[in-house]
Coordinates of all heavy atoms in Angstrom, one line a residue:
K1 N 238.1 -14.9 49.0 CA 238.3 -15.3 47.6 C 237.0 -15.0 46.8 O 236.5 -15.9 46.1 CB 238.7 -16.7 47.5 CG 240.0 -17.0 48.2 CD 240.8 -18.0 47.5 CE 242.1 -18.2 48.2 NZ 243.0 -18.8 47.4
G2 N 236.3 -13.9 47.0 CA 235.2 -13.6 46.2 C 233.8 -14.0 46.8 O 232.8 -13.7 46.2
T3 N 233.8 -14.6 48.0 CA 232.6 -15.1 48.5 C 231.7 -13.9 48.9 O 230.4 -14.0 48.7 CB 232.8 -16.0 49.7 OG1 233.6 -15.3 50.7 CG2 233.5 -17.3 49.3
S4 N 232.2 -12.8 49.4 CA 231.3 -11.7 49.8 C 230.7 -11.1 48.5 O 229.6 -10.5 48.6 CB 232.1 -10.7 50.6 OG 233.1 -10.1 49.8
F5 N 231.3 -11.2 47.4 CA 230.8 -10.6 46.2 C 229.8 -11.6 45.5 O 228.8 -11.2 45.0 CB 231.9 -10.3 45.2 CG 231.4 -9.6 44.0 CD1 231.1 -8.2 44.0 CD2 231.3 -10.3 42.8 CE1 230.6 -7.6 42.8 CE2 230.8 -9.6 41.6 CZ 230.5 -8.3 41.7
S6 N 230.1 -12.9 45.6 CA 229.3 -13.9 44.9 C 228.1 -14.3 45.7 O 227.1 -14.7 45.1 CB 230.2 -15.1 44.6 OG 230.6 -15.8 45.8
A7 N 228.1 -14.2 47.0 CA 227.0 -14.7 47.9 C 225.7 -14.1 47.5 O 224.7 -14.8 47.4 CB 227.3 -14.5 49.3
P8 N 225.6 -12.8 47.3 CA 224.3 -12.2 46.9 C 223.8 -12.7 45.5 O 222.6 -12.9 45.4 CB 224.6 -10.7 46.8 CG 225.8 -10.4 47.5 CD 226.6 -11.7 47.4
F9 N 224.7 -13.0 44.6 CA 224.3 -13.6 43.3 C 223.8 -15.0 43.5 O 222.7 -15.3 42.9 CB 225.4 -13.5 42.3 CG 225.8 -12.1 41.9 CD1 226.9 -11.5 42.4 CD2 225.0 -11.4 41.0 CE1 227.2 -10.2 42.1 CE2 225.4 -10.1 40.6 CZ 226.5 -9.5 41.2
V10 N 224.4 -15.8 44.2 CA 224.0 -17.2 44.4 C 222.7 -17.2 45.2 O 221.8 -18.0 44.9 CB 225.1 -18.0 45.1 CG1 224.6 -19.4 45.5 CG2 226.4 -18.1 44.3
T11 N 222.6 -16.3 46.2 CA 221.3 -16.2 47.0 C 220.2 -15.8 46.1 O 219.1 -16.4 46.1 CB 221.5 -15.2 48.1 OG1 222.6 -15.7 48.9 CG2 220.2 -15.1 48.9
G12 N 220.4 -14.8 45.2 CA 219.4 -14.4 44.2 C 219.0 -15.5 43.3 O 217.8 -15.7 43.0
A13 N 220.0 -16.3 42.8 CA 219.7 -17.4 41.9 C 218.8 -18.5 42.7 O 217.9 -19.0 42.1 CB 221.0 -18.1 41.5
A14 N 219.2 -18.7 43.9 CA 218.4 -19.7 44.7 C 217.0 -19.2 44.9 O 216.0 -20.0 44.8 CB 219.1 -19.9 46.1
A15 N 216.8 -17.9 45.1 CA 215.4 -17.4 45.3 C 214.6 -17.5 44.0 O 213.4 -17.8 44.0 CB 215.5 -15.9 45.7
L16 N 215.3 -17.2 42.8 CA 214.6 -17.4 41.6 C 214.2 -18.8 41.3 O 213.1 -19.1 40.8 CB 215.5 -16.9 40.4 CG 215.6 -15.3 40.3 CD1 216.7 -15.0 39.3 CD2 214.3 -14.7 39.9
I17 N 215.1 -19.7 41.6 CA 214.8 -21.2 41.4 C 213.6 -21.6 42.3 O 212.7 -22.3 41.9 CB 216.1 -22.0 41.7 CG1 217.1 -21.8 40.6 CG2 215.7 -23.5 41.8 CD1 218.5 -22.2 41.0
K18 N 213.7 -21.1 43.6 CA 212.6 -21.4 44.5 C 211.3 -20.9 44.0 O 210.2 -21.5 44.2 CB 212.9 -20.8 45.9 CG 212.0 -21.2 47.0 CD 212.1 -22.7 47.4 CE 211.3 -22.9 48.6 NZ 211.3 -24.3 49.0
S19 N 211.3 -19.7 43.3 CA 210.0 -19.1 42.8 C 209.5 -20.0 41.7 O 208.3 -20.0 41.5 CB 210.2 -17.7 42.4 OG 210.9 -17.6 41.2
V20 N 210.3 -20.7 41.0 CA 209.9 -21.5 39.9 C 209.5 -22.9 40.4 O 208.6 -23.5 39.9 CB 211.1 -21.7 38.8 CG1 210.7 -22.7 37.8 CG2 211.4 -20.4 38.2
Q21 N 210.2 -23.4 41.4 CA 209.9 -24.7 42.0 C 209.7 -24.5 43.5 O 210.6 -24.8 44.3 CB 211.1 -25.6 41.8 CG 211.3 -26.0 40.3 CD 210.2 -27.0 39.9 OE1 209.3 -27.3 40.6 NE2 210.4 -27.5 38.7
P22 N 208.6 -24.0 44.0 CA 208.4 -23.7 45.4 C 208.5 -24.9 46.3 O 208.7 -24.7 47.5 CB 207.0 -23.1 45.4 CG 206.3 -23.4 44.1 CD 207.4 -23.7 43.2
T23 N 208.3 -26.1 45.8 CA 208.4 -27.3 46.7 C 209.8 -27.8 46.8 O 210.1 -28.7 47.6 CB 207.5 -28.4 46.2 OG1 207.9 -28.8 44.9 CG2 206.0 -28.0 46.2
W24 N 210.7 -27.3 46.1 CA 212.1 -27.8 46.1 C 212.8 -27.3 47.4 O 212.6 -26.2 47.9 CB 212.9 -27.2 45.0 CG 212.8 -28.0 43.7 CD1 211.8 -28.9 43.4 CD2 213.6 -27.9 42.5 NE1 212.0 -29.4 42.1 CE2 213.0 -28.8 41.6 CE3 214.7 -27.1 42.2 CZ2 213.6 -28.9 40.3 CZ3 215.3 -27.3 41.0 CH2 214.7 -28.2 40.0
G25 N 213.6 -28.2 47.9 CA 214.4 -27.9 49.1 C 215.8 -27.5 48.7 O 216.2 -27.4 47.5
P26 N 216.7 -27.4 49.7 CA 218.1 -27.0 49.4 C 218.9 -28.0 48.5 O 219.6 -27.5 47.7 CB 218.8 -27.0 50.8 CG 217.6 -26.9 51.8 CD 216.4 -27.5 51.1
D27 N 218.6 -29.2 48.6 CA 219.3 -30.2 47.7 C 219.0 -30.0 46.3 O 219.9 -30.0 45.4 CB 219.0 -31.6 48.1 CG 219.6 -32.0 49.5 OD1 220.6 -31.3 49.9 OD2 219.1 -33.0 50.1
E28 N 217.7 -29.8 45.9 CA 217.3 -29.6 44.5 C 217.8 -28.3 44.0 O 218.3 -28.2 42.9 CB 215.8 -29.7 44.4 CG 215.2 -31.0 44.6 CD 214.8 -31.3 46.0 OE1 215.0 -30.5 46.9 OE2 214.1 -32.3 46.3
I29 N 217.8 -27.2 44.8 CA 218.2 -25.9 44.4 C 219.8 -25.9 44.2 O 220.3 -25.4 43.2 CB 217.8 -24.9 45.5 CG1 216.3 -24.7 45.5 CG2 218.5 -23.5 45.2 CD1 215.8 -23.9 46.7
F30 N 220.5 -26.6 45.1 CA 221.9 -26.7 45.0 C 222.2 -27.5 43.7 O 223.1 -27.0 42.9 CB 222.5 -27.5 46.2 CG 224.0 -27.8 46.1 CD1 224.9 -26.8 46.5 CD2 224.4 -29.0 45.7 CE1 226.2 -27.0 46.4 CE2 225.8 -29.3 45.7 CZ 226.7 -28.3 46.0
E31 N 221.5 -28.5 43.4 CA 221.7 -29.3 42.1 C 221.5 -28.4 40.9 O 222.3 -28.5 39.9 CB 220.8 -30.5 42.1 CG 220.9 -31.4 40.8 CD 222.3 -32.0 40.6 OE1 223.0 -32.3 41.6 OE2 222.6 -32.3 39.5
A32 N 220.5 -27.6 40.9 CA 220.2 -26.8 39.8 C 221.3 -25.8 39.5 O 221.7 -25.5 38.4 CB 218.9 -26.0 40.0
I33 N 221.9 -25.2 40.6 CA 222.9 -24.3 40.5 C 224.2 -24.9 40.0 O 224.9 -24.5 39.1 CB 223.1 -23.5 41.8 CG1 221.9 -22.6 42.1 CG2 224.4 -22.7 41.8 CD1 221.9 -22.0 43.4
I34 N 224.6 -26.0 40.7 CA 225.9 -26.7 40.4 C 225.9 -27.3 39.1 O 226.9 -27.3 38.4 CB 226.2 -27.7 41.5 CG1 226.4 -27.0 42.9 CG2 227.4 -28.6 41.2 CD1 227.6 -26.1 42.9
S35 N 224.8 -27.9 38.6 CA 224.8 -28.6 37.4 C 224.8 -27.6 36.2 O 224.9 -28.1 35.0 CB 223.6 -29.6 37.3 OG 222.4 -28.9 37.3
T36 N 224.6 -26.4 36.4 CA 224.5 -25.4 35.3 C 225.6 -24.4 35.3 O 225.6 -23.5 34.5 CB 223.2 -24.7 35.3 OG1 223.0 -24.0 36.5 CG2 222.0 -25.7 35.0
V37 N 226.6 -24.5 36.2 CA 227.7 -23.5 36.1 C 228.6 -23.7 34.9 O 228.6 -24.8 34.3 CB 228.7 -23.7 37.4 CG1 227.9 -23.4 38.6 CG2 229.3 -25.0 37.4
H38 N 229.2 -22.6 34.5 CA 230.1 -22.7 33.3 C 231.5 -23.0 33.8 O 232.0 -22.4 34.7 CB 230.1 -21.4 32.5 CG 231.1 -21.3 31.4 ND1 230.9 -22.0 30.2 CD2 232.3 -20.7 31.3 CE1 231.9 -21.8 29.5 NE2 232.8 -21.0 30.1
K39 N 232.1 -24.0 33.1 CA 233.5 -24.3 33.5 C 234.3 -24.4 32.2 O 233.9 -25.1 31.3 CB 233.5 -25.7 34.2 CG 234.8 -26.0 34.8 CD 234.7 -27.2 35.7 CE 236.0 -27.4 36.4 NZ 235.9 -28.5 37.4
T40 N 235.3 -23.6 32.1 CA 236.2 -23.5 30.9 C 237.0 -24.7 30.9 O 237.7 -25.0 31.8 CB 237.0 -22.2 31.0 OG1 236.2 -21.1 31.2 CG2 237.8 -22.1 29.7
S41 N 236.9 -25.5 29.8 CA 237.7 -26.7 29.7 C 239.2 -26.4 29.4 O 239.5 -25.3 28.9 CB 237.1 -27.6 28.6 OG 237.2 -26.9 27.3
G42 N 240.0 -27.4 29.7 CA 241.4 -27.3 29.4 C 242.2 -26.5 30.4 O 243.3 -26.1 30.1
Q43 N 241.6 -26.2 31.5 CA 242.3 -25.5 32.6 C 242.9 -26.4 33.6 O 242.3 -27.5 33.9 CB 241.3 -24.5 33.2 CG 240.7 -23.5 32.3 CD 241.7 -22.5 31.7 OE1 242.5 -22.0 32.4 NE2 241.6 -22.3 30.4
D44 N 243.9 -26.0 34.3 CA 244.5 -26.7 35.4 C 243.4 -26.7 36.5 O 242.9 -25.6 36.9 CB 245.8 -26.0 35.9 CG 246.4 -26.7 37.1 OD1 245.8 -26.6 38.2 OD2 247.4 -27.4 36.9
E45 N 243.0 -27.9 37.0 CA 241.9 -28.0 37.9 C 242.1 -27.2 39.2 O 241.3 -26.6 39.8 CB 241.6 -29.4 38.2 CG 241.0 -30.2 37.1 CD 239.6 -29.7 36.7 OE1 238.8 -29.4 37.6 OE2 239.3 -29.7 35.5
V46 N 243.4 -27.3 39.7 CA 243.7 -26.6 41.0 C 243.6 -25.1 40.8 O 243.1 -24.4 41.7 CB 245.1 -27.1 41.5 CG1 245.5 -26.3 42.7 CG2 245.1 -28.6 41.8
V47 N 244.2 -24.6 39.8 CA 244.2 -23.2 39.5 C 242.8 -22.7 39.3 O 242.4 -21.7 39.8 CB 245.1 -22.8 38.3 CG1 245.0 -21.3 37.9 CG2 246.6 -23.2 38.6
Y48 N 242.0 -23.5 38.5 CA 240.7 -23.1 38.2 C 239.8 -23.0 39.5 O 239.1 -22.1 39.7 CB 240.0 -24.1 37.2 CG 238.7 -23.7 36.7 CD1 238.6 -22.9 35.5 CD2 237.5 -24.0 37.3 CE1 237.4 -22.5 35.0 CE2 236.3 -23.5 36.8 CZ 236.3 -22.8 35.7 OH 235.1 -22.4 35.2
A49 N 239.9 -24.0 40.3 CA 239.2 -24.1 41.6 C 239.5 -22.9 42.5 O 238.7 -22.3 43.1 CB 239.4 -25.4 42.3
D50 N 240.8 -22.5 42.4 CA 241.3 -21.4 43.2 C 240.7 -20.1 42.7 O 240.3 -19.2 43.5 CB 242.8 -21.3 43.3 CG 243.3 -20.3 44.3 OD1 242.8 -20.3 45.4 OD2 244.2 -19.5 43.9
L51 N 240.6 -19.9 41.4 CA 240.1 -18.7 40.8 C 238.5 -18.6 40.8 O 237.9 -17.6 41.1 CB 240.6 -18.6 39.4 CG 242.1 -18.3 39.2 CD1 242.4 -18.3 37.7 CD2 242.4 -16.9 39.8
F52 N 237.9 -19.8 40.5 CA 236.5 -19.8 40.2 C 235.6 -20.7 41.1 O 234.4 -20.8 40.9 CB 236.2 -20.1 38.7 CG 236.9 -19.2 37.8 CD1 237.9 -19.7 36.9 CD2 236.5 -17.8 37.7 CE1 238.5 -18.8 36.0 CE2 237.2 -17.0 36.8 CZ 238.2 -17.5 36.0
G53 N 236.2 -21.4 41.9 CA 235.5 -22.4 42.7 C 235.0 -23.5 41.8 O 235.7 -24.1 41.0
V54 N 233.7 -23.8 41.9 CA 233.1 -24.9 41.1 C 232.9 -24.5 39.7 O 233.0 -25.3 38.7 CB 231.7 -25.3 41.7 CG1 231.0 -26.3 40.8 CG2 231.9 -25.9 43.1
G55 N 232.7 -23.2 39.4 CA 232.5 -22.7 38.1 C 231.9 -21.3 38.2 O 231.6 -20.8 39.2
L56 N 231.5 -20.8 37.0 CA 230.9 -19.4 36.9 C 229.4 -19.6 36.9 O 228.8 -20.3 36.1 CB 231.4 -18.7 35.7 CG 232.9 -18.5 35.6 CD1 233.3 -17.9 34.3 CD2 233.4 -17.6 36.8
L57 N 228.7 -18.9 37.8 CA 227.3 -19.0 37.9 C 226.6 -18.5 36.7 O 226.9 -17.5 36.1 CB 226.9 -18.1 39.1 CG 225.4 -18.0 39.4 CD1 224.8 -19.4 39.9 CD2 225.2 -17.0 40.5
Q58 N 225.6 -19.3 36.2 CA 224.8 -19.0 35.1 C 223.3 -19.0 35.6 O 222.7 -20.0 35.5 CB 225.0 -19.9 33.9 CG 226.4 -19.9 33.4 CD 226.5 -20.7 32.1 OE1 226.6 -20.2 31.0 NE2 226.5 -22.0 32.3
I59 N 222.9 -17.9 36.1 CA 221.5 -17.8 36.7 C 220.5 -18.2 35.7 O 219.6 -19.0 36.0 CB 221.3 -16.4 37.3 CG1 222.2 -16.2 38.4 CG2 219.8 -16.3 37.8 CD1 222.2 -14.8 39.0
D60 N 220.6 -17.8 34.4 CA 219.6 -18.1 33.4 C 219.5 -19.6 33.2 O 218.4 -20.2 33.1 CB 219.8 -17.4 32.1 CG 221.2 -17.7 31.5 OD1 222.1 -18.0 32.3 OD2 221.3 -17.6 30.3
K61 N 220.6 -20.3 33.2 CA 220.6 -21.7 33.0 C 220.1 -22.5 34.2 O 219.4 -23.5 34.0 CB 222.1 -22.2 32.7 CG 222.7 -21.6 31.5 CD 222.2 -22.1 30.2 CE 223.1 -21.6 29.1 NZ 222.3 -20.9 28.1
A62 N 220.4 -22.0 35.4 CA 219.9 -22.6 36.6 C 218.3 -22.5 36.6 O 217.6 -23.5 37.0 CB 220.5 -22.0 37.8
V63 N 217.8 -21.4 36.3 CA 216.3 -21.2 36.3 C 215.7 -22.0 35.2 O 214.7 -22.7 35.4 CB 216.0 -19.7 36.1 CG1 214.5 -19.5 35.9 CG2 216.4 -18.9 37.4
E64 N 216.3 -22.1 34.0 CA 215.8 -23.0 32.9 C 215.8 -24.4 33.4 O 214.9 -25.2 33.1 CB 216.7 -22.8 31.7 CG 216.4 -21.5 31.0 CD 217.4 -21.3 29.8 OE1 218.1 -22.2 29.4 OE2 217.5 -20.1 29.3
Y65 N 216.9 -24.8 34.0 CA 217.0 -26.2 34.6 C 215.8 -26.5 35.5 O 215.2 -27.5 35.4 CB 218.3 -26.3 35.3 CG 218.5 -27.6 36.0 CD1 219.2 -28.7 35.4 CD2 218.1 -27.9 37.3 CE1 219.5 -29.9 36.1 CE2 218.3 -29.0 38.0 CZ 219.0 -30.1 37.3 OH 219.2 -31.2 38.0
A66 N 215.5 -25.5 36.4 CA 214.5 -25.7 37.4 C 213.1 -25.7 36.6 O 212.2 -26.5 37.0 CB 214.5 -24.6 38.4
A67 N 212.9 -24.9 35.7 CA 211.6 -24.8 35.0 C 211.4 -26.1 34.2 O 210.2 -26.5 34.0 CB 211.6 -23.6 34.0
G68 N 212.4 -26.8 33.7 CA 212.3 -28.0 33.0 C 212.1 -29.2 33.8 O 211.8 -30.3 33.2
R69 N 212.2 -29.2 35.1 CA 212.1 -30.3 35.9 C 210.7 -30.5 36.5 O 210.1 -29.5 36.9 CB 213.1 -30.2 37.1 CG 214.6 -30.4 36.7 CD 214.8 -31.8 36.2 NE 216.2 -32.1 35.9 CZ 216.9 -32.9 36.7 NH1 216.4 -33.5 37.7 NH2 218.1 -33.1 36.4
P70 N 210.2 -31.7 36.7 CA 208.9 -31.8 37.3 C 209.0 -31.4 38.8 O 210.0 -31.6 39.4 CB 208.6 -33.3 37.2 CG 209.9 -34.0 36.9 CD 210.8 -32.9 36.3
R71 N 207.9 -30.9 39.3 CA 207.9 -30.5 40.7 C 207.8 -31.8 41.5 O 207.2 -32.8 41.2 CB 206.6 -29.6 40.9 CG 206.8 -28.3 40.3 CD 205.7 -27.4 40.8 NE 206.0 -26.0 40.4 CZ 205.4 -25.4 39.3 NH1 204.6 -26.0 38.6 NH2 205.7 -24.2 39.1
R72 N 208.4 -31.7 42.7 CA 208.4 -32.8 43.7 C 206.9 -32.9 44.2 O 206.2 -32.0 44.3 CB 209.3 -32.4 44.8 CG 209.5 -33.5 45.8 CD 210.6 -33.2 46.7 NE 210.4 -32.0 47.4 CZ 211.2 -31.5 48.3 NH1 212.3 -32.1 48.7 NH2 210.9 -30.3 48.9
S73 N 206.6 -34.2 44.5 CA 205.2 -34.5 45.0 C 205.0 -33.8 46.3 O 205.9 -33.6 47.1 CB 205.0 -36.0 45.2 OG 205.1 -36.6 44.0
S74 N 203.8 -33.4 46.6 CA 203.5 -32.7 47.9 C 203.4 -33.8 48.9 O 203.4 -35.0 48.6 CB 202.1 -32.0 47.8 OG 201.1 -32.9 47.5
E75 N 203.3 -33.4 50.2 CA 203.3 -34.4 51.3 C 202.2 -35.4 51.2 O 202.3 -36.5 51.7 CB 203.2 -33.6 52.6 CG 204.5 -32.8 52.9 CD 204.4 -32.1 54.2 OE1 203.5 -32.4 55.0 OE2 205.3 -31.2 54.4
N76 N 201.0 -35.0 50.7 CA 199.9 -36.0 50.6 C 199.9 -36.9 49.4 O 199.0 -37.7 49.2 CB 198.5 -35.2 50.7 CG 198.3 -34.3 49.5 OD1 199.1 -34.3 48.5 ND2 197.2 -33.6 49.5
G77 N 201.0 -36.8 48.6 CA 201.2 -37.7 47.5 C 200.7 -37.2 46.2 O 200.9 -37.8 45.2
N78 N 200.0 -36.1 46.2 CA 199.5 -35.5 44.9 C 200.6 -34.7 44.3 O 201.4 -34.0 45.0 CB 198.3 -34.6 45.2 CG 197.1 -35.3 45.6 OD1 196.9 -36.5 45.2 ND2 196.3 -34.7 46.5
V79 N 200.7 -34.8 43.0 CA 201.7 -34.0 42.3 C 201.1 -32.6 42.1 O 199.9 -32.5 41.6 CB 202.0 -34.6 40.9 CG1 203.0 -33.7 40.1 CG2 202.7 -36.0 41.1
P80 N 201.8 -31.6 42.4 CA 201.2 -30.2 42.3 C 200.9 -29.9 40.8 O 201.5 -30.4 39.9 CB 202.3 -29.3 42.8 CG 203.2 -30.2 43.6 CD 203.1 -31.6 43.0
N81 N 199.9 -29.0 40.6 CA 199.5 -28.6 39.3 C 200.5 -27.5 38.8 O 201.4 -27.2 39.5 CB 198.1 -28.2 39.2 CG 197.7 -27.1 40.1 OD1 198.6 -26.2 40.5 ND2 196.5 -27.0 40.6
E82 N 200.2 -26.9 37.7 CA 201.0 -25.9 37.1 C 201.3 -24.7 38.0 O 202.3 -24.1 38.0 CB 200.4 -25.3 35.8 CG 200.5 -26.3 34.7 CD 201.9 -26.7 34.3 OE1 202.7 -25.9 34.2 OE2 202.1 -27.9 34.1
S83 N 200.3 -24.4 38.9 CA 200.5 -23.2 39.8 C 201.3 -23.6 41.0 O 201.6 -22.8 41.8 CB 199.1 -22.7 40.2 OG 198.5 -23.6 41.1
G84 N 201.6 -24.9 41.2 CA 202.4 -25.4 42.3 C 201.5 -25.8 43.5 O 202.0 -26.4 44.5
A85 N 200.2 -25.7 43.3 CA 199.2 -26.1 44.3 C 198.9 -27.6 44.1 O 198.8 -28.1 42.9 CB 198.0 -25.3 44.3
A86 N 198.6 -28.3 45.2 CA 198.2 -29.7 45.0 C 196.8 -29.7 44.5 O 195.9 -28.9 44.8 CB 198.2 -30.4 46.4
P87 N 196.5 -30.6 43.5 CA 195.1 -30.7 43.0 C 194.1 -31.2 44.0 O 194.5 -31.8 45.0 CB 195.3 -31.7 41.9 CG 196.5 -32.5 42.2 CD 197.4 -31.6 43.0
D88 N 192.9 -30.8 43.8 CA 191.8 -31.3 44.7 C 191.7 -32.8 44.6 O 191.8 -33.4 43.6 CB 190.5 -30.6 44.4 CG 190.5 -29.1 44.6 OD1 191.3 -28.7 45.5 OD2 189.8 -28.4 43.9
S89 N 191.4 -33.4 45.8 CA 191.2 -34.9 45.8 C 189.8 -35.2 45.4 O 188.9 -34.6 45.7 CB 191.5 -35.4 47.2 OG 192.9 -35.2 47.5

């Protein structure tokens, strides 16, 4: 049902998100993708899910979502700076 065609796009989106948020793990990346899909309103949910799954991938929106979120704290408790590196103690 389109997974072989969509998998490279979703993988690419995940890689772009990871490049913006290098400390994010799978859960945060998944959230960025799922929360930004386009879903046409007024559709039969069963038919829609069969045709489009969760929704239509919007890579630009997912990357914007990631860029607008604060980075997760590093393991030593310091919040990473703009480059993603932990600040000097």
